Amino acid sequence: MTTVRQPVGQVAAGAGGGGGVLKHSGGPWLRAADGADGMYTHLGPVKAELETAHEGLLAANCGLTAPAELAAVRDSWTRRFEAARTECQELAGKLRAVARTQGETEEAVKSAFARMSVADGAGRTERAERGVAR
């Protein structure tokens, strides 16, 4: 996809405004939000898997001097994974909010240009009837 960039003034001046190439797409924001949701889901079973793996280590006593050390390591990783899940969940919501806000802003700008175009068109007709050049 090729995007042509123009100053806003040129877009508004051409073709009555509002029909230029400046357009928001929520797609990238929503895809990123879906990715964050996917990470949240992917990290969901990690806590149970980590607990199962640590139970096996306790039974094998893999060089750790005390079960308390193993529990501290497991707890540390559990907190990290839970923090990552929380961050992913919050990030997904924020990314969706950006897409929504940008879409609303685009509609407001489009509407403002349309009102300007209608007002400018009416003014031009009125001036032409009076023989006044702009």
Side-chain angles (χ1 to χ4, degrees), residues 8 13 17-18 20 40-41 45 51 54 56 59 63 65 72 82 98 112 127:
V8 173
Y40 173 83
T41 301
E51 287 175 1
H54 276 253
T65 57
E82 288 302 314
V98 168
R127 285 189 299 272

Coordinates of all heavy atoms in Angstrom, one line a residue, residues 8 13 17-18 20 40-41 45 51 54 56 59 63 65 72 82 98 112 127:
V8 N -2.0 19.3 5.4 CA -3.4 19.3 5.7 C -4.1 20.5 4.9 O -5.1 20.3 4.3 CB -3.7 19.5 7.2 CG1 -5.2 19.7 7.4 CG2 -3.3 18.3 7.9
A13 N -7.8 22.1 0.7 CA -8.1 23.0 -0.4 C -8.5 22.3 -1.6 O -9.3 22.8 -2.5 CB -6.8 23.8 -0.7
G17 N -12.3 19.5 0.3 CA -11.8 19.0 1.7 C -12.5 17.7 2.1 O -13.5 17.3 1.5
G18 N -11.9 17.1 3.0 CA -12.5 15.9 3.6 C -12.3 14.6 2.7 O -12.5 13.5 3.1
G20 N -9.3 13.8 1.1 CA -7.9 13.7 0.9 C -7.4 12.3 1.3 O -8.2 11.4 1.6
Y40 N -1.0 -12.8 26.7 CA -1.7 -12.9 28.0 C -2.2 -14.4 28.1 O -1.9 -15.1 29.1 CB -2.8 -11.9 28.1 CG -3.7 -12.2 29.3 CD1 -3.3 -11.7 30.5 CD2 -4.9 -12.9 29.2 CE1 -4.1 -11.9 31.6 CE2 -5.7 -13.1 30.3 CZ -5.3 -12.6 31.5 OH -6.1 -12.8 32.6
T41 N -2.8 -14.9 27.0 CA -3.3 -16.2 27.0 C -2.2 -17.2 27.1 O -2.3 -18.2 27.8 CB -4.2 -16.4 25.7 OG1 -5.2 -15.5 25.7 CG2 -4.7 -17.8 25.7
P45 N -1.0 -20.6 31.4 CA -0.7 -21.9 32.1 C 0.7 -22.0 32.6 O 1.1 -23.0 33.2 CB -0.9 -22.9 31.0 CG -0.7 -22.2 29.7 CD -1.1 -20.8 30.0
E51 N 5.1 -24.8 38.6 CA 4.9 -25.5 39.8 C 5.2 -27.0 39.6 O 5.9 -27.7 40.4 CB 3.5 -25.3 40.4 CG 3.3 -23.9 40.9 CD 1.9 -23.7 41.4 OE1 1.0 -24.5 41.3 OE2 1.7 -22.5 41.9
H54 N 8.9 -27.6 39.2 CA 9.6 -27.4 40.5 C 9.4 -28.6 41.4 O 10.3 -29.0 42.2 CB 9.3 -26.1 41.2 CG 10.1 -25.0 40.7 ND1 11.1 -24.4 41.4 CD2 10.1 -24.3 39.5 CE1 11.6 -23.4 40.7 NE2 11.0 -23.3 39.5
G56 N 9.2 -31.6 40.4 CA 10.2 -32.6 39.9 C 11.6 -32.3 40.4 O 12.3 -33.2 40.7
A59 N 12.1 -33.4 44.0 CA 12.3 -34.8 44.1 C 13.7 -35.2 43.7 O 14.3 -36.1 44.3 CB 11.2 -35.5 43.3
G63 N 21.0 -30.1 43.2 CA 22.1 -29.2 43.6 C 21.7 -28.0 44.5 O 22.6 -27.3 45.0
T65 N 20.7 -26.3 47.8 CA 21.0 -26.8 49.2 C 19.7 -26.8 50.1 O 19.7 -27.5 51.1 CB 22.0 -25.8 49.9 OG1 21.5 -24.5 49.8 CG2 23.3 -25.9 49.1
A72 N 11.8 -20.0 46.7 CA 12.1 -18.5 46.4 C 12.3 -18.3 44.9 O 11.7 -17.3 44.4 CB 13.3 -18.1 47.2
E82 N 3.3 -13.3 36.2 CA 2.0 -12.7 36.5 C 2.1 -11.2 36.1 O 1.1 -10.6 35.6 CB 1.6 -12.9 37.9 CG 1.2 -14.3 38.2 CD 0.0 -14.8 37.4 OE1 -1.0 -14.1 37.2 OE2 0.1 -15.9 36.8
V98 N -6.5 3.5 21.8 CA -5.9 4.4 20.8 C -6.6 4.3 19.5 O -6.9 5.3 18.8 CB -4.4 4.1 20.6 CG1 -3.8 4.8 19.4 CG2 -3.6 4.4 21.9
A112 N -15.7 18.3 10.4 CA -15.3 19.7 10.4 C -15.0 20.2 9.0 O -15.4 21.3 8.6 CB -14.1 19.9 11.4
R127 N -21.3 35.3 -2.8 CA -20.4 36.4 -3.4 C -20.5 36.5 -4.9 O -20.5 37.6 -5.5 CB -18.9 36.1 -3.0 CG -18.6 36.4 -1.6 CD -17.1 36.2 -1.3 NE -16.6 34.9 -1.5 CZ -16.6 33.9 -0.6 NH1 -17.0 34.1 0.6 NH2 -16.1 32.7 -1.0

